[in-house]
Amino acid sequence: PSLQLLAIGTRSGAIKLYGAPGVEFMGLHDENAAVTQVHFLPHQVELVTLLDDNSLHMWTLRAHKGLSELLEIGRFTLTGPPGAPPSVTRVTAVLPHSSGELLLLGTEGGHVFIVEVPGFRELEERNISLDQVASSVPDDYIGRRNLEHVEALQENPVNPNQVVIGYGRGLMVVWDLEKQCQLESVWWTEDGGYILSSHSDGSYCRWMVGVDDVNEEEEKSDIPYGHFPCKAIMKIIQLPTEDGPPFLLFSGGMPRASYGDRHCITVIHGKTHVALDFTSRIIDFFVITDGLQQKGDPSALVVLVEEELVVIDLQTEGWPVIQTPYLVPLHSSAITCSHHVSAIPFKLWERISSVGELQNTHYSKKPWPITGGQSLAPDPPQRDLLLTGHEDGTVRFWDASGVCLSPMYKLSTAGVFDTDADPNDNMNQGTEGEWPPFRKVGCFDPYSDDPRLGIQKIHLCKYSGYLTVAGTAGQILVMELNDEAAEQTVEAKVVDLLQGQEGFRWKGHTRLDVREEPVLFPPGFQPFALVQCQPPAVVTALNLHSEWKLVAFGTSHGFGLFDYQQKNNVFVKCTLNPSDQLAMEGPLSRVKSIKKSLRQSFRRIRRSRVSLRKHHVNNAAKVDLLQEANARLEAELAEMELAPVQRKIEARSSDDSFTGLVRTLYFADTFLSDSSHNSPSLWAGTNGGCVFAYMLRLPPVEHRADEPITAHPGKQEIQLMHRAPVVGIVVLDGHGAPLPEPLEVAHDLARSPEMQGSHHLLVISEEQFKVFTLPKVSAKMKLKLTAIDGSRVRRVGVAWFGSNRSEDYGESGLVVLTNQGDLHVVSLPSVKLQVQYPCIRKEDVSGIASCVFTKHGQGFYLISPSEFERFSLSTRCLVEPRCLVGAPLHSGPQRRPQTDGASSKAVLLAYTLSIRDVLSHTCNHWICCLSYTVMEKIIRP
């Protein structure tokens, strides 16, 4: 409370501190162990962590060059007497004493060890042994049961010499630290007169302390949700108010048979009784009060559940939720894709913010109650959006301009379709008169009404405000931003990508049914055009050209072009390989057939054996060739397990599955017919290493709404010899610069492309970068990435790297992420490797797949299902927490922090946005293992 900081320990061994928005710190323990407890030392800038390997660690916030850094300054492990079992020293409860100089450590063996901090020196003469406690307990109690482990330690709020020790078997002992004795016989009330204890049968008891003559009214036991068996009350708190009854809060205690699966915290204040019902398991909670020293009225309840952080306003009627400025659950529905847009125009930003605010009327108006520290980060130089697509058909807009990732607006596409969802279902409302009085809180809701709604691709044009999203069942929606609600019907255009090819039968899911009646769409992005692919396979590629009013889309069966101004389909191209039956099975009914892959591998072995017999090669050569074939089989099996495989570039079989799957679509105004006439064009790259080009003829602007667009296949079809999947296509102008985005030149934000010199086509496959001349399409140069180190391209983007010394100078380059988790920067137009840095662990396949690049050399990827990590390759564009935490204002004892030479592990770059890894394993990320000085070299090469 004195620092106004929130600390969270994670299963991956990280400790994260949050204060006011923008104040974030992260440290990582050397040990690969989960953080089980975190305790601040009272009125100081230190905190202690307990890991599940029983080690204790001391951390401090130390100022360095005007900024605070989180440093580890000591570590300690309790050691028992020789020959003692490990349970004697396994720590189960930690109490930082209010003096700031002692730690009380309760153990599994029932002992309480007292340790001096910050030096972690055990004060053996002051330890409280189990024998000392047992000698004062009545014999009949000791005879009935063992005391078991120390469950809780609490200090008397008005007498720091008294602590209550709660044992697992139900015994509570109040111990005097000075007199070394037991007074009588776990929450201690504010006046020190009562102790509240909670129990495994769903009851809690109220005990008076230090009074012999006690009547039954003052000491009582209560089961709030009895009379049937109840679950344990895991934690209980009682806090007074100045003018009214106290607040009583506890977690658990629900009737076991009826509501044993609920995750609840009960809040009772006078006649108001609410059971806050969360959608994931409760980890911990605490209450913030008005006063700096926790002496005022309770103002906010802070709850950490497994999937999110929820803060409840306890001073506003109805106890509404306070919107969190950080740790917002990105994965309230599972993230399926993401899209980043840099430098949003102010007008569009304001409109999105306005419609987003209309969705937040149910939140409390109170400011964020955790206010510790001071953010010294400069204001962001531009407004950036991160869009995430989700399994439930929603698209969430996030302000990614600064350190905090803040929610701005939520778009739902489910209303366009007929699904099983009940539009009148409001999860936040409890039934009148229901007991227990449940109220749903939190926004984590992982259940999707229909998995076909899942968003797979997103493209937003920041200049026109048009948005297109594509989904799992082949649906492509085109939307525009409307500041008012509107009721309208969305007509679907069904596009047959098979073009009447015979012999194919789709075995996957059906396409979504479109609502026939008008739908009332709230203010925000509203759909006005809908394309449905047939077969309704996952949309694998999407591009929007808002200047030409065109949307290109691709699936595993082919690609098409849609004119969203006239709402007509321009053309369709089927790319399906006749031998590719797996492409007809659909993602929701198919997992890649390992049987087929094994069959193909054994056929290759058999062919190798036949070849050996034909050529009468000696036995030694047979063995060598068979070993080679077996090695190839092992490599293919490893590849199916998504592990990276080093190999030379070699031709892939045209029989491989999904060769027709469209990986990338690209619009360009370039030269296809001859070198003197440029025209609009559409380029498509497939999984089988094939590149298609179509020349587009657009009518004049005055006839754009009436005359149809025509498309003609160009002569520029390319089949890469090694058949590696094409993951990117870029056209370079006469100066070797990438073509600008649609409408970018019209808004004077980019120079017009050079149309005098010859253009070049850059084709990026998983294994190499190849430059072709246009319009003749002859190979000019190439860079073989896989041949160098065996890695493959997984993500690629064009970025502008501005100089941090000269405002006017910059270079365009390709940013590449490989399956090894390495980042490369490739120069343009010379296509040469510039730099290479490790970024993501190669085993983190989902993290690599989730990566998205920005236009200015930064990137985001998921380090867990709920956390984005941000990185930067640019010396100019760098977003990192820069914050300062001062020592608390307190008249009590102050100490200068001491160091013992332990290595510091301060990570200020970590862009942690949610907290799923509190109880789910996440990987020890490479950045977290580097000191800050080393990171400086990586960020600013």
Side-chain angles (χ1 to χ4, degrees):
S2 59
L3 290 175
Q4 281 291 298
L5 290 179
L6 163 70
I8 293 175
T10 75
R11 179 168 280 182
S12 60
I15 177 171
K16 305 176 183 183
L17 270 61
Y18 298 91
V23 176
E24 298 184 11
F25 300 93
M26 178 173 168
L28 188 74
H29 296 84
D30 286 336
E31 296 78 6
N32 186 19
V35 181
T36 56
Q37 294 190 41
V38 182
H39 298 274
F40 283 97
L41 298 190
H43 315 298
Q44 295 172 40
V45 290
E46 282 104 15
L47 65 157
V48 173
T49 56
L50 173 66
L51 307 189
D52 65 0
D53 64 0
N54 206 41
S55 63
L56 289 151
H57 301 255
M58 178 75 71
W59 298 80
T60 188
L61 286 165
R62 182 172 300 161
H64 176 67
K65 295 182 179 179
L67 298 174
S68 294
E69 295 178 2
L70 181 61
L71 307 174
E72 184 182 347
I73 60 171
R75 62 189 67 191
F76 173 71
T77 302
L78 268 180
T79 55
S87 62
V88 171
T89 55
R90 161 125 342 240
V91 178
T92 55
V94 179
L95 172 63
H97 194 260
S98 60
S99 66
E101 298 174 352
L102 299 176
L103 276 183
L104 279 69
L105 308 175
T107 67
E108 199 173 281
H111 306 282
V112 177
F113 294 84
I114 299 182
V115 175
E116 190 178 58
V117 289
F120 283 130
R121 184 172 69 89
E122 184 182 340
L123 305 178
E124 295 185 16
E125 70 280 359
R126 300 188 65 175
N127 290 345
I128 306 168
S129 71
L130 185 61
D131 292 337
Q132 288 176 279
V133 175
S135 64
S136 306
V137 176
D139 293 337
D140 59 341
Y141 190 91
I142 292 294
R144 283 191 292 121
R145 64 186 83 180
N146 182 18
L147 298 184
E148 287 196 357
H149 62 282
V150 177
E151 181 71 44
L153 289 168
Q154 282 278 346
E155 182 180 331
N156 188 333
V158 295
N159 184 353
N161 288 323
Q162 294 179 6
V163 294
V164 62
I165 308 170
Y167 289 93
R169 283 289 189 175
L171 177 72
M172 286 192 301
V173 176
V174 180
W175 194 264
D176 191 300
L177 295 176
E178 278 193 350
K179 298 177 182 178
Q180 290 282 296
C181 65
Q182 175 186 340
L183 297 179
E184 304 283 2
S185 256
V186 123
W187 181 261
W188 217 314
T189 57
E190 190 76 13
D191 57 5
Y194 293 91
I195 291 174
L196 291 179
S197 63
S198 62
H199 302 273
S200 58
D201 63 351
S203 68
Y204 71 90
C205 300
R206 188 168 180 258
W207 310 86
M208 289 194 71
V209 180
V211 179
D212 294 330
D213 186 18
V214 179
N215 61 52
E216 292 185 0
E217 290 296 319
E218 293 175 319
E219 253 186 26
K220 66 174 183 177
S221 173
D222 190 15
I223 304 179
Y225 298 114
H227 305 279
F228 298 102
C230 295
K231 299 196 75 174
I233 293 179
M234 303 305 296
K235 182 174 181 178
I236 190 166
I237 289 177
Q238 181 176 301
L239 292 170
T241 58
E242 288 186 6
D243 303 320
F247 273 88
L248 179 66
L249 307 95
F250 58 86
S251 59
M254 287 292 118
R256 188 176 296 274
S258 306
Y259 305 108
D261 58 341
R262 300 285 186 109
H263 312 289
C264 294
I265 290 180
T266 298
V267 184
I268 302 173
H269 179 235
K271 294 182 179 180
T272 307
H273 183 137
V274 172
L276 302 172
D277 189 5
F278 298 87
T279 55
S280 58
R281 192 163 62 91
I282 295 165
I283 308 301
D284 201 359
F285 70 93
F286 63 81
V287 176
I288 297 174
T289 61
D290 282 337
L292 189 62
Q293 306 300 330
Q294 294 287 81
K295 300 295 185 185
D297 284 358
S299 62
L301 167 65
V302 182
V303 184
L304 178 68
V305 294
E306 198 168 39
E307 306 292 353
E308 60 184 316
L309 182 78
V310 182
V311 180
I312 310 291
D313 179 2
L314 295 178
Q315 294 187 335
T316 301
E317 187 178 355
W319 296 340
V321 173
I322 300 175
Q323 171 86 59
T324 53
Y326 43 71
L327 294 175
V328 182
L330 294 166
H331 65 313
S332 48
S333 173
I335 294 175
T336 48
C337 66
S338 53
H339 175 67
H340 187 273
V341 189
S342 301
I344 302 292
F346 180 73
K347 186 175 181 181
L348 177 63
W349 185 269
E350 286 291 295
R351 293 180 68 194
I352 294 175
S353 298
S354 297
V355 295
E357 288 171 2
L358 297 175
Q359 300 176 335
N360 296 331
T361 54
H362 61 287
Y363 285 116
S364 169
K365 305 301 181 187
K366 284 287 184 68
W368 182 242
I370 301 172
T371 58
Q374 178 185 3
S375 177
L376 303 179
D379 291 335
Q382 60 189 27
R383 294 168 292 273
D384 290 352
L385 274 178
L386 181 67
L387 281 68
T388 53
H390 297 264
E391 193 178 48
D392 61 356
T394 58
V395 178
R396 288 170 167 80
F397 290 63
W398 306 86
D399 178 358
S401 312
V403 172
C404 297
L405 194 72
S406 315
M408 289 185 66
Y409 165 66
K410 175 183 171 183
L411 163 69
S412 176
T413 63
V416 179
F417 307 101
D418 271 321
T419 62
D420 296 332
D422 181 3
N424 299 315
D425 182 22
N426 189 341
M427 65 177 287
N428 289 320
Q429 298 300 321
T431 307
E432 187 77 24
E434 182 183 23
W435 186 261
F438 291 118
R439 192 185 112 204
K440 283 282 186 184
V441 287
C443 56
F444 176 73
D445 183 17
Y447 305 106
S448 173
D449 296 310
D450 193 331
R452 297 176 297 172
L453 292 169
I455 304 297
Q456 298 296 330
K457 296 291 174 183
I458 305 171
H459 200 291
L460 171 67
C461 174
K462 62 186 177 184
Y463 303 112
S464 64
Y466 284 112
L467 169 71
T468 179
V469 298
T472 302
Q475 71 271 28
I476 299 101
L477 283 161
V478 188
M479 309 184 180
E480 60 183 339
L481 188 57
N482 191 346
D483 300 322
E484 305 292 335
E487 188 174 35
Q488 59 196 40
T489 304
V490 182
E491 294 184 10
K493 182 76 173 179
V494 179
V495 175
D496 181 14
L497 289 174
L498 295 180
Q499 294 181 297
Q501 289 202 31
E502 297 181 358
F504 292 103
R505 186 170 62 88
W506 174 247
K507 301 175 185 176
H509 50 266
T510 59
R511 68 172 184 259
L512 286 160
D513 295 324
V514 183
R515 290 185 186 271
E516 296 179 356
E517 69 278 8
V519 178
L520 179 62
F521 293 103
F525 283 95
Q526 298 170 352
F528 65 89
L530 169 63
V531 178
Q532 288 189 295
C533 298
Q534 187 64 28
V538 172
V539 177
T540 56
L542 183 71
N543 206 340
L544 168 74
H545 200 296
S546 49
E547 191 171 354
W548 302 340
K549 304 288 195 298
L550 296 174
V551 170
F553 54 90
T555 72
S556 54
H557 307 120
F559 61 94
L561 184 65
F562 181 73
D563 176 357
Y564 62 79
Q565 182 172 357
Q566 297 185 18
K567 298 184 181 178
N568 281 325
N569 202 51
V570 179
F571 78 92
V572 169
K573 168 68 176 176
C574 180
T575 58
L576 190 65
N577 190 313
S579 63
D580 190 1
Q581 289 298 322
L582 282 180
M584 302 305 295
E585 294 185 11
L588 302 181
S589 63
R590 166 191 48 78
V591 175
K592 184 174 181 181
S593 172
I594 191 169
K595 289 183 179 179
K596 179 176 179 180
S597 299
L598 285 170
R599 196 180 306 123
Q600 290 173 345
S601 300
F602 281 117
R603 281 174 183 166
R604 292 191 187 105
I605 295 173
R606 207 175 297 127
R607 284 198 294 268
S608 299
R609 289 172 175 166
V610 171
S611 176
L612 283 169
R613 282 197 294 270
K614 283 183 178 177
H615 291 87
H616 305 288
V617 187
N618 60 35
N619 287 335
K622 284 185 180 182
V623 172
D624 289 343
L625 198 52
L626 281 173
Q627 286 177 344
E628 183 184 341
N630 285 330
R632 194 181 302 126
L633 170 61
E634 290 176 7
E636 289 179 3
L637 288 173
E639 187 178 338
M640 282 189 287
E641 293 167 2
L642 296 177
V645 182
Q646 291 196 5
R647 64 178 182 82
K648 294 179 181 179
I649 295 180
E650 57 186 24
R652 303 189 184 191
S653 168
S654 59
D655 296 337
D656 286 353
S657 300
F658 298 107
T659 55
L661 184 144
V662 179
R663 293 287 293 269
T664 183
L665 292 162
Y666 182 76
F667 287 107
D669 188 354
T670 188
F671 302 94
L672 265 77
S673 56
D674 56 63
S675 57
S676 56
H677 297 91
N678 59 296
S679 64
S681 62
L682 172 66
W683 301 77
T686 72
N687 222 33
C690 195
V691 177
F692 300 94
Y694 277 78
M695 187 165 60
L696 309 177
R697 297 198 182 278
L698 275 67
V701 176
E702 58 272 17
H703 299 295
R704 177 64 180 84
D706 310 317
E707 296 183 11
I709 295 174
T710 57
H712 306 280
K715 302 175 183 178
Q716 289 78 8
E717 183 173 327
I718 302 169
Q719 176 61 66
L720 299 179
M721 295 298 291
H722 57 292
R723 298 184 183 275
V726 177
V727 295
I729 297 173
V730 179
V731 172
L732 307 175
D733 69 7
H735 289 313
L739 297 183
E741 294 181 15
L743 296 174
E744 195 173 13
V745 174
H747 285 75
D748 296 325
L749 295 171
R751 64 174 179 81
S752 299
E754 175 56 53
M755 307 302 284
Q756 298 301 318
S758 60
H759 283 197
H760 291 88
L761 173 70
L762 172 59
V763 177
I764 303 122
S765 76
E766 280 191 355
E767 299 180 348
Q768 67 179 15
F769 308 83
K770 200 164 186 177
V771 178
F772 300 87
T773 60
L774 287 176
K776 291 185 178 180
V777 192
S778 58
K780 183 177 180 181
M781 66 182 82
K782 62 184 174 183
L783 170 65
K784 297 180 179 180
L785 186 68
T786 303
I788 297 172
D789 59 4
S791 58
R792 298 182 185 178
V793 177
R794 286 289 181 256
R795 285 286 182 271
V796 65
V798 175
W800 172 258
F801 292 95
S803 169
N804 65 348
R805 296 181 181 176
S806 171
E807 286 289 329
D808 302 326
Y809 181 74
E811 300 173 1
S812 286
L814 282 181
V815 183
V816 178
L817 176 68
T818 71
N819 63 338
Q820 307 284 340
D822 294 340
L823 287 169
H824 298 260
V825 177
V826 179
S827 65
L828 292 175
S830 58
V831 195
K832 292 181 179 178
L833 284 175
Q834 298 295 295
V835 290
Q836 174 182 349
Y837 302 113
C839 180
I840 309 175
R841 294 182 318 106
K842 62 183 179 182
E843 296 84 6
D844 188 4
V845 178
S846 58
I848 292 171
S850 67
C851 182
V852 57
F853 294 119
T854 77
K855 298 293 185 185
H856 296 92
Q858 301 181 64
F860 299 83
Y861 70 93
L862 289 169
I863 60 172
S864 77
S866 68
E867 289 179 292
F868 270 113
E869 183 112 316
R870 185 177 196 145
F871 61 86
S872 179
L873 287 160
S874 170
T875 58
R876 183 188 291 181
C877 298
L878 180 64
V879 176
E880 60 179 346
R882 297 174 61 84
C883 33
L884 181 65
V885 175
L889 298 173
H890 177 59
S891 57
Q894 296 288 316
R895 291 188 287 101
R896 284 181 63 85
Q898 302 173 3
T899 63
D900 61 355
S903 61
S904 64
K905 303 292 175 189
V907 180
L908 299 184
L909 179 68
Y911 195 74
T912 308
L913 307 172
S914 191
I915 42 83
R916 180 185 175 88
D917 70 337
V918 170
L919 276 181
S920 63
H921 177 72
T922 58
C923 312
N924 287 338
H925 186 242
W926 70 278
I927 285 182
C928 301
C929 302
L930 298 173
S931 72
Y932 185 63
T933 53
V934 175
M935 185 164 328
E936 284 285 308
K937 293 176 185 175
I938 289 177
I939 296 169
R940 302 187 177 90

